[in-house]
Amino acid sequence: MKKIAIVYHSGFGHTQRQAEAVAAGAAKVAATEVKLYPVDKLDEAQWAELDAADAMIFGSPTYMGSVTAEFKEFMEASSKRWYGRVWVDKLAAGFTCSASQSGDKLHALQNMNVFALQHGMIWVGM
């Protein structure tokens, strides 16, 4: 069974709804286990589950042209995994949303992409 982790932050619930929709779509694939991980509620057991996942899909609202501070805190908290190269060769993808038409969502996705590449993950785009 393949394990997919949806790792996200949601400030007002919109990104959580997106995360749930991504999870519902991914769960339609046979022999796939999908689990949601809000970044502001991760404990050590959940970090271990992320380490064991085959793929991670990152999600964050776009605030001020970037990912949220909470998502950035998750990124920085992953440095032990980076040092141990724990996430190398995992698949990675991302999604974002914002209230404005031009909130610089591309930059938020690029933040996630660079983060994944720093970890040696394989970014999957559309």
Side-chain angles (χ1 to χ4, degrees), residues 61-69 97-100 102-105 107-108 111:
T62 299
Y63 290 172
M64 303 304 290
S66 188
V67 295
T68 63
C97 63
S98 69
S100 62
S102 180
D104 234 347
K105 292 180 276 299
H107 188 255
N111 286 163

Side-chain angles (χ1 to χ4, degrees), residues 2-92:
K2 297 295 180 183
K3 296 181 181 183
I4 299 175
I6 314 287
V7 186
Y8 71 96
H9 175 252
S10 186
F12 297 98
H14 303 98
T15 309
Q16 180 175 341
R17 282 194 296 256
Q18 274 189 299
E20 291 165 352
V22 170
K28 291 179 181 179
V29 176
T32 302
E33 177 185 326
V34 183
K35 190 167 177 185
L36 296 167
Y37 295 89
V39 297
D40 50 349
K41 297 180 175 134
L42 289 176
D43 60 28
E44 282 305 313
Q46 291 171 318
W47 278 100
E49 291 174 13
L50 295 181
D51 296 344
D54 298 295
M56 287 189 225
I57 302 173
F58 304 119
S60 173
T62 299
Y63 290 172
M64 303 304 290
S66 188
V67 295
T68 63
E70 291 85 352
F71 195 85
K72 181 69 172 145
E73 187 176 343
F74 157 75
M75 294 165 79
E76 292 178 7
S78 75
S79 62
K80 289 180 185 174
R81 272 96 184 143
W82 172 85
Y83 186 76
R85 307 308 287 157
V86 176
W87 295 349
V88 169
D89 292 334
K90 289 184 188 292
L91 296 179

Side-chain angles (χ1 to χ4, degrees), residues 58-60 62 65-67 93-97 104-116 123 126:
F58 304 119
S60 173
T62 299
S66 188
V67 295
F95 60 92
T96 188
C97 63
D104 234 347
K105 292 180 276 299
L106 175 60
H107 188 255
L109 290 171
Q110 289 170 327
N111 286 163
M112 294 178 211
N113 173 260
V114 170
F115 168 68
W123 186 262
M126 303 230 349

